[in-house]
């Protein structure tokens, strides 16, 4: 049994699906502040398997510990948290509360239940402004916004915990840019309001929900002047969590790994790939750089490959085709069901 906080979200729902397919039992604990129960209904439809869903907030120590104990879990995958960089600048206390206090509650609950195996969702944001590329795990850590700070604080908390008690088995996964959707088109990313991220925005332009894409900057020091990122298919990312859980359970070693493809694509590369996948023109205009954005960011993914035997398989065309299938079938996300 694996206990999954934030399992109804974008990455969590895809991970639940792959865990169920691999024969794991799953309990999801989620307050649905940025997701809908329908995602988990669909996960069960696709897999023809059941999972347990508990509605609750990870900062509510009493409910969390009760659910964790009842689940009989042997490991936890911790996705729950807030993730919008811009919002974190406006609402830092909400971010520290949800992400840091929430994680503290989770660790205390796990300790009290004697469950000491954890996979944590970190982010490439902990590398700050890249000093060199590709980014390996030894790159100095820094942060440029409160969201990134919460990931750094949590990573440090986890390293301190492991140093204090070697029976903890902790895997820290630093994701690059998760995109795409399950190939069924039944689950995918369902952002509330205007999407911040590139792929969901492009998908909404293609489907006619938004008039045009603003490309934030075409004067970066990159091959075509637009920002370069390491986009990774969410199903590859989900499979990375399976590899991480298996590694922790079988070998009990702690690790920190990048989950990325190692390939950087520009905004224009993504726009063209999406046009190809959807057969729709993506109307766009150039706008000034977005505050806080870096020119380029992509992973050195070799450590994950060597340690976990995991490597991303799905290319940019597949990411765009799958995102388009999800968008086309669900123009209003889960709320249109
Ligand atoms: P998401 O918002 O889709 O999923 C997060 C889930 O956690 C949601 O279902 C939400 O309802 C739940 N949640 C939030 N606060 C909660 C709380 N206090 N108690 C219980 N449930 C709570 O986000 P995602 O894209 O699936 O991201 C999952 C994790 O991966 C997050 O920790 C995020 O910071 C991290 N991450 C995401 C990205 C990305 O670009 N998507 C990149 C790097 C890291
Ligand atoms: N972009 C546009 N127009 C848009 C949206 C994005 O041109 O409407 C550009 C950005 O300027 C950037 C690229 O597309 O060059 C990707 O932007 P995203 O917002 O999709 O992703 P980011 O790399 O900016 O942010 C992601 C996660 C953050 C995380 C960060 C660093 O969303 O949570 O990676 O790891 F902090």
């Amino acid at each position: 049994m694996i206990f999954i906080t934030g399992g109804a979200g974008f990455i969590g729902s895809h991970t639940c699906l792959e865990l169920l397919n691999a024969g794991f039992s799953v309990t999801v604990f989620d307050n649905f502040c940025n997701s809908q129960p329908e995602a988990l209904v669909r996960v069960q439809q696709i897999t023809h398997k059941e999972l347990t869903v508990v509605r609750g907030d990870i900062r509510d120590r009493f409910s969390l510990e009760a659910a964790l104990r009842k689940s009989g879990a042997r490991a936890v995958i911790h996705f729950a948290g807030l993730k919008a960089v811009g919002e974190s600048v406006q609402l830092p206390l909400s971010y520290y509360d949800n992400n840091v206090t929430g994680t503290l509650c989770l660790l205390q609950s796990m300790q009290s239940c004697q469950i000491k195996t954890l996979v944590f969702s970190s982010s490439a944001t902990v590398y700050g402004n890249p000093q060199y590329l590709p980014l390996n795990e030894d790159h100095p850590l820094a942060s440029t916004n409160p969201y990134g700070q919460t990931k750094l604080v949590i990573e440090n908390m986890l390293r301190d915990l492991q140093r204090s008690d070697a029976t903890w088995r902790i895997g820290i996964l630093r994701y690059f840019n998760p995109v795409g959707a399950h190939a069924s088109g039944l689950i995918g990313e369902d952002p509330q309001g205007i999407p911040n991220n590139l792929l969901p925005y492009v998908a909404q332009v293609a489907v006619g929900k938004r008039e045009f894409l603003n490309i934030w900057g075409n004067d970066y020091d990159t091959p075509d002047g637009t920002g370069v990122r390491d986009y990774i298919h969410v199903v590859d990312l989900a499979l990375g969590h399976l590899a991480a859980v298996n590694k922790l359970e079988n070998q009990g070693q702690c690790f920190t790994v990048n989950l990325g493809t190692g390939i950087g694509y520009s905004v224009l590369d993504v726009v063209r790939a999406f046009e190809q996948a959807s057969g729709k023109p993506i109307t766009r205009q150039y706008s000034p750089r977005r505050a806080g954005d870096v020119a380029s960011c992509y992973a050195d993914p070799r450590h994950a490959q060597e340690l976990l035997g995991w490597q991303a398989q799905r290319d940019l065309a597949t990411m765009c085709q799958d995102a388009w299938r999800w968008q086309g079938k669900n123009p209003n996300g889960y709320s249109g069901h």
Side-chain angles (χ1 to χ4, degrees), residues 62-302:
F62 184 80
S63 310
L64 176 62
E65 193 171 319
L68 189 57
R69 200 177 295 281
K70 193 171 169 210
S71 72
R74 55 179 203 245
V76 174
I77 305 180
H78 178 33
F79 293 108
L82 303 180
K83 63 167 182 177
V85 174
E87 187 185 60
S88 80
V89 177
Q90 306 302 319
L91 303 171
L93 298 183
S94 293
Y95 275 69
Y96 281 97
D97 189 31
N98 254 282
N99 297 3
V100 179
T101 310
T103 303
L104 191 58
C105 274
L106 175 66
L107 296 172
Q108 288 167 332
S109 303
M110 288 176 70
Q111 192 153 44
S112 140
C113 297
Q114 287 295 304
I115 302 165
K116 293 186 173 179
T117 302
L118 175 73
V119 174
F120 173 63
S121 303
S122 190
S123 164
T125 193
V126 299
Y127 296 122
N129 209 336
Q131 294 176 15
Y132 58 83
L133 291 166
L135 291 158
N136 60 21
E137 291 81 358
D138 295 329
H139 185 282
L141 302 180
S143 151
T144 52
N145 57 72
Y147 166 70
Q149 286 289 0
T150 67
K151 293 294 180 191
L152 276 180
V153 171
I154 296 167
E155 282 203 6
N156 285 328
M157 190 155 72
L158 295 174
R159 283 186 279 268
D160 287 341
L161 179 60
Q162 210 278 324
R163 268 194 290 269
S164 77
D165 174 355
T167 63
W168 277 89
R169 300 168 168 201
I170 299 174
I172 296 176
L173 307 183
R174 293 179 179 153
Y175 314 153
F176 280 69
N177 288 57
V179 298
H182 187 256
S184 63
L186 289 175
I187 60 169
E189 188 168 11
D190 184 17
Q192 309 302 303
I194 302 170
N196 293 310
N197 295 117
L198 179 63
L199 248 291
Y201 202 103
V202 168
Q204 292 194 3
V205 174
V207 85
K209 269 182 86 172
R210 315 245 165 232
E211 221 178 316
F212 57 86
L213 169 73
N214 280 302
I215 298 183
W216 306 124
N218 64 343
D219 57 353
Y220 284 108
D221 184 14
T222 59
D224 63 23
T226 66
V228 166
R229 296 292 184 275
D230 186 339
Y231 297 94
I232 174 167
H233 196 296
V234 65
V235 173
D236 280 327
L237 197 61
L239 292 170
H241 291 74
L242 251 74
V245 167
N246 284 330
K247 183 77 181 176
L248 291 173
E249 293 204 318
N250 298 333
Q251 294 182 15
Q253 187 185 339
C254 291
F255 54 82
T256 299
V257 295
N258 287 336
L259 295 185
T261 64
I263 304 170
Y265 286 110
S266 73
V267 175
L268 286 174
D269 291 332
V270 172
V271 167
R272 289 192 203 103
F274 208 94
E275 287 184 325
Q276 192 81 34
S278 63
K280 306 274 182 194
I282 307 296
T283 312
R284 64 258 197 185
Q285 68 173 33
Y286 291 114
S287 301
R289 294 180 180 192
R290 186 170 66 177
D293 273 2
V294 301
S296 296
C297 174
Y298 51 92
D300 178 342
R302 282 178 301 178

